[in-house]
Amino acid sequence: IATNDEIDLPEVRHTNVFLERVPSQRLPQSESNDYQTGNRDANIKRIYLTELAYQRTIKYVMHCDADDLLSNRIVEIVRKENHPVGYAIRKGYVLDSMTGKHLPCPSPEVNVGGFDQYCGTSLILTLSEDLRREFNWPFELIRLGHHQIRSALRAAARPLMDIEHPSAIYVLNAGENIALAQSNDSVRRNYTARVIANVQTYGSALNRLQLLEFGLNPGLETT
């Protein structure tokens, strides 16, 4: 996890989790608008974590936004296929955490070519030394943004493998919007509980096993 903030959660104290403080000199300056600054901040953190992964001889890198949800089957899928370039999650779900609207992606309501074109939590790249020798892999691609990476790899005759199993949930209107909604609720709920409540109330795309797959325990109390 790349951060420039203090994080004190039990999950980050797990032995398989590394919390990395990004050097302050690498972070963006604040004179630009919030959107540009936020994009640069995320890009800097992606590159920084990929550099660390290379140093630690990690085989795969997948960049996940903090508010998205990932299937617990993704490691199994990647290890089974062992693709030399990487993967693209082509199917997933979209959840609006404010309205509870919950939809498969792609679908008629989410009219995109694939989940990987809509959500950044969708690409898994192999940190291959063979590819590194061909060009500045994968740093040139990371700077492109997720929606351009697939076409760049096709042009280089290095296509990604599609993952057809719905493996990620793109959570919209998270973070500050959830905090704002919670401040108006008589009952305070944490982020996960709020997502679960919305899925149970509005969503029909996920069954009980799928809720468990994404870490959304359907037995969790939300009231």
Side-chain angles (χ1 to χ4, degrees):
I1 301 174
T3 180
N4 48 309
D5 301 310
E6 295 292 337
I7 301 178
D8 184 20
L9 296 171
E11 291 83 357
V12 303
R13 293 193 287 271
H14 192 282
T15 54
N16 289 338
V17 176
F18 298 90
L19 194 66
E20 302 291 349
R21 181 62 67 99
V22 181
S24 57
Q25 65 269 24
R26 298 184 67 153
L27 295 172
Q29 301 302 311
S30 58
E31 59 264 15
S32 59
N33 65 52
D34 290 342
Y35 179 79
Q36 292 172 334
T37 301
N39 278 353
R40 284 209 308 276
D41 179 77
N43 202 38
I44 287 167
K45 289 174 178 175
R46 291 185 186 108
I47 293 171
Y48 183 65
L49 285 183
T50 304
E51 290 172 352
L52 293 179
Y54 242 119
Q55 294 169 16
R56 295 173 181 172
T57 64
I58 291 171
K59 187 170 183 179
Y60 296 101
V61 61
M62 178 181 188
H63 300 120
C64 302
D65 292 334
D67 49 3
D68 293 337
L69 304 172
L70 195 62
S71 166
N72 61 17
R73 293 187 56 191
I74 196 67
V75 172
E76 170 194 354
I77 293 170
V78 168
R79 285 181 170 173
K80 178 181 178 181
E81 300 298 341
N82 198 29
H83 195 272
V85 180
Y87 309 82
I89 296 174
R90 296 290 288 166
K91 294 180 181 178
Y93 302 97
V94 177
L95 172 65
D96 188 325
S97 61
M98 291 293 289
T99 66
K101 193 172 185 180
H102 186 241
L103 299 165
C105 178
S107 66
E109 295 85 358
V110 188
N111 187 20
V112 293
F115 183 80
D116 58 308
Q117 295 178 14
Y118 194 55
C119 178
T121 304
S122 59
L123 300 182
I124 305 166
L125 301 178
T126 309
L127 297 183
S128 166
E129 286 299 330
D130 292 337
L131 291 172
R132 181 83 183 256
R133 284 192 287 270
E134 288 187 30
F135 55 97
N136 187 22
W137 172 270
F139 302 104
E140 290 179 1
L141 292 175
I142 293 171
R143 294 185 178 94
L144 290 177
H146 72 92
H147 55 289
Q148 296 175 302
I149 288 177
R150 293 208 76 180
S151 58
L153 284 170
R154 288 194 193 100
R158 296 287 190 177
L160 294 172
M161 177 180 174
D162 289 342
I163 294 177
E164 297 294 343
H165 175 75
S167 299
I169 299 179
Y170 183 18
V171 181
L172 304 177
N173 294 320
E176 293 180 1
N177 288 333
I178 284 183
L180 179 62
Q182 287 176 331
S183 68
N184 296 323
D185 286 348
S186 59
V187 178
R188 301 270 176 158
R189 294 189 292 228
N190 64 30
Y191 168 76
T192 303
R194 185 176 183 84
V195 171
I196 293 170
N198 282 337
V199 170
Q200 290 174 328
T201 303
Y202 304 98
S204 59
L206 296 182
N207 59 36
R208 182 181 177 87
L209 290 178
Q210 289 169 321
L211 290 172
L212 291 169
E213 178 182 338
F214 289 99
L216 298 172
N217 184 349
L220 181 66
E221 290 292 331
T222 59
T223 59

